[in-house]
């Protein structure tokens, strides 16, 4: 056995790869098989994709719609939360994968500028300028922490003020 043998990860199964829509220069970066459903989670340069065990496209979401990802090594559970506060996506990934690394890198790549403030009741609100990695379009997001009411006039005013500052910093 050669001293520096290159270890290759298994290739994404062809039927799954054929299901993942790729546009332009978009490429598959990493993938993992969910042990609970038999589906595949696929990270591309522009999207996070889930292909079901029957090799059908379940969903495809741009990176700027994902708020965060967490990895629990003890249980091999990867969780992604969404900016729209929809149900988090969770997968049990027991085989080695670069998916966690790709997730972190793509989330960071989509954030152009961010600011955070605390409300009167000590809750956190994040205002963010994100980039759609497929088009380069800049988008504004106000992400309330748990228990934050964005319709509260004081919170809304502070969010508008901070977003205006971020917009000016990126030339919007």
């Amino acid at each position: 056995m050669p001293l520096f043998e290159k270890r290759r990860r298994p290739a994404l199964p062809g039927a799954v790869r054929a299901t993942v829509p790729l546009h332009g220069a978009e490429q598959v970066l990493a993938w993992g098989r969910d042990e609970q459903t038999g589906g595949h989670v696929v990270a591309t340069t522009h999207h996070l994709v889930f292909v079901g065990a029957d090799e059908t496209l379940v969903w495809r979401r741009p990176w700027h719609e994902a708020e965060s990802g967490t990895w629990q090594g003890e249980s091999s559970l990867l969780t992604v939360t969404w900016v729209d506060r929809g149900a988090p996506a969770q997968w049990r990934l027991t085989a080695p994968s670069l998916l966690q690394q790709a997730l972190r890198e793509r989330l960071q790549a989509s954030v152009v500028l961010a600011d955070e403030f605390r409300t009167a009741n000590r809750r956190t609100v994040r205002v963010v300028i994100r980039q759609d990695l497929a088009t380069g379009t800049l988008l504004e997001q106000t992400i309330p922490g748990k228990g934050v009411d964005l319709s509260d006039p004081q919170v809304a005013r502070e969010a508008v003020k901070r977003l205006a500052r971020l917009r000016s910093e990126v030339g919007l």
Side-chain angles (χ1 to χ4, degrees), residues 7-118:
R7 291 187 180 180
R8 295 184 51 98
R9 298 192 190 318
L12 180 63
V16 175
R17 169 57 198 88
T19 302
V20 176
L22 298 176
H23 300 289
E26 188 172 14
Q27 298 175 15
V28 171
L29 299 174
W31 66 276
R33 183 177 178 279
D34 178 25
E35 298 299 326
Q36 294 173 328
T37 65
H40 289 81
V41 186
V42 181
T44 76
T45 46
H46 302 150
H47 297 91
L48 186 60
V49 182
F50 186 65
V51 177
D54 61 354
E55 298 165 348
T56 59
L57 181 64
V58 177
W59 52 258
R60 174 178 178 254
R61 295 187 73 167
W63 287 109
H64 63 268
E65 291 182 3
E67 181 182 358
S68 66
T70 57
W71 171 249
Q72 295 173 335
E74 317 79 52
S75 60
S76 300
L77 193 66
L78 179 64
T79 303
V80 173
T81 57
W82 307 103
V83 171
D84 65 9
R85 294 294 184 234
Q90 289 190 320
W91 308 281
R92 191 164 311 284
L93 307 172
T94 56
S97 172
L98 294 174
L99 190 57
Q100 300 90 327
Q101 181 180 339
L103 175 71
R104 182 177 56 251
E105 189 276 331
R106 293 285 82 195
L107 286 174
Q108 289 174 348
S110 73
V111 175
V112 177
L113 276 177
D115 193 7
E116 186 174 283
F117 66 93
R118 295 213 181 264

Side-chain angles (χ1 to χ4, degrees), residues 122-142:
R122 308 286 301 152
R123 306 290 182 177
T124 302
V125 177
R126 284 180 11 116
V127 291
V128 187
I129 303 289
R130 304 270 302 261
Q131 182 179 32
D132 180 331
L133 297 176
T135 66
T137 304
L138 296 181
L139 309 152
E140 301 173 6
Q141 296 175 335
T142 301

